[in-house]
Amino acid sequence: MSGILKDRIALVTGASRGIGRAVALELARQGAHVIALARTQGALEELDDEIRKLGGEATLVPCDLKDFDALDRLGAAIYERWKKLDILVANAGILGPITPISHIDPPKWDEAIQVNVTANYRLIRSLDILLRASDAGRAVFVSSGAGHKANFSPYRAAYSVTKAALEGLARTYAAETVTTSPVKVMIANPGPLRTKMRAAVAPGEDPMSLRTPEEFAPKLAALCAPSWTQSGQLYDFASDSVKSFKAPE
Ligand code: NAP
């Protein structure tokens, strides 16, 4: 494979469908070897077939992100095979319950925290040394406007709180890597895209009115390139621009 990501090693979480699948295909199209993680093995195998048709290569990791020991083992396995990781796309996420805060079932709250926040901390814990071993390590955390908009929506506390926490995690990781390594860390906000998650958030919406993960994927891939220079900022797909975080005024 040729392309700007030729021979880069890229881990994509949530690669079985939606945004993660489109990003995995785009990274492979641009030459990366994709390590594709999700729970649904059959969907990962279909992705593998698609990547092979493009002339690319993938490694499949059927895994639940709540299995934190598995994330430690993944880091060790990547070290054994490649000694480094060039790209982490931390995309997998869940919506969590849509209900008033006082009605949230505690296990559902815990699951949202585990998948949307703790798993990403555990990925950084497992993979930081490998990203630093790359000549141009890139980490992109897929968040949402729900994590930073001025007025939070009611009934979506699990999602908003976990995306705000994810952004805090990513921005802290950016601060920890900026002067000590070539690693660049970005947060990406896809905005509403035509996926299963969006259909669950807005069931009355015409999916054909939305842009697709395939339109977003090349933009996210650009954040993964060795030539990308910014860190600790937000890429916003709706405006196709990079935005800085500001303290409230
Ligand atoms: P989606 O269609 O629901 O896909 C979610 C992906 O995450 C699937 O591949 C799923 O795979 C994986 N996943 C969920 N729980 C997992 C777990 N416990 N372990 C491993 N993998 C898990 O969602 P999407 O719309 O593509 O969203 C992707 C990201 O974009 C999310 O972080 C979401 O918050 C963000 N986002 C989406 C939109 C939108 O409009 N679509 C807008 C803003 C932000 P398995 O089920 O196979 O495990």
Side-chain angles (χ1 to χ4, degrees):
M1 293 286 288
S2 57
I4 57 169
L5 300 179
K6 183 171 164 22
D7 298 334
R8 308 305 282 174
I9 310 299
L11 170 62
V12 180
T13 70
S16 61
R17 64 171 184 268
I19 294 169
R21 185 178 200 278
V23 167
L25 279 168
E26 182 62 28
L27 297 182
R29 194 174 287 117
Q30 296 195 18
H33 179 108
V34 174
I35 305 168
L37 184 152
R39 290 166 301 181
T40 311
Q41 182 151 3
L44 290 179
E45 285 167 5
E46 283 170 25
L47 172 71
D48 189 33
D49 290 345
E50 289 294 308
I51 288 176
R52 281 172 200 275
K53 277 186 214 155
L54 294 171
E57 277 187 359
T59 298
L60 306 184
V61 184
C63 166
D64 190 327
L65 283 166
K66 299 192 294 301
D67 182 352
F68 303 135
D69 291 342
L71 303 185
D72 290 345
R73 291 194 297 275
L74 175 61
I78 293 171
Y79 176 78
E80 282 300 314
R81 186 159 168 196
W82 292 288
K83 307 284 186 249
K84 62 155 188 175
L85 179 68
D86 299 304
I87 297 165
L88 165 64
V89 180
N91 159 80
I94 59 172
L95 194 52
I98 301 180
T99 192
I101 295 170
S102 59
H103 294 200
I104 296 175
D105 187 26
K108 293 284 180 198
W109 175 266
D110 290 344
E111 184 185 23
I113 299 278
Q114 286 181 10
V115 175
N116 292 359
V117 185
T118 309
N120 288 306
Y121 141 65
R122 294 296 297 251
L123 284 169
I124 293 172
R125 181 177 181 269
S126 180
L127 304 173
D128 171 59
I129 195 167
L130 299 172
L131 287 163
R132 287 176 189 265
S134 168
D135 59 344
R138 301 288 177 261
V140 181
F141 294 84
V142 180
S143 187
S144 161
H148 57 259
K149 64 186 178 183
N151 298 309
F152 277 20
S153 304
Y155 316 128
R156 295 189 197 165
Y159 191 66
S160 301
V161 165
T162 55
K163 289 302 189 184
L166 176 66
E167 293 186 4
L169 182 76
R171 292 169 66 192
T172 305
Y173 187 44
E176 291 176 2
T177 47
V178 67
T179 56
T180 56
S181 78
V183 174
K184 308 291 182 211
V185 181
M186 290 294 290
I187 295 161
N189 176 17
L193 298 184
R194 197 186 306 159
T195 70
K196 188 175 173 187
M197 180 186 284
R198 179 67 193 180
V201 181
E205 185 176 65
D206 176 7
M208 299 314 285
S209 68
L210 300 172
R211 291 201 285 176
T212 62
E214 289 71 25
E215 290 172 77
F216 172 62
K219 299 293 185 178
L220 192 142
L223 312 179
C224 301
S227 56
W228 185 262
T229 56
Q230 289 162 292
S231 195
Q233 301 193 54
L234 175 84
Y235 171 73
D236 178 59
F237 182 49
S239 59
D240 189 23
S241 63
V242 174
K243 297 179 186 284
S244 301
F245 288 92
K246 293 189 181 120
E249 293 167 351

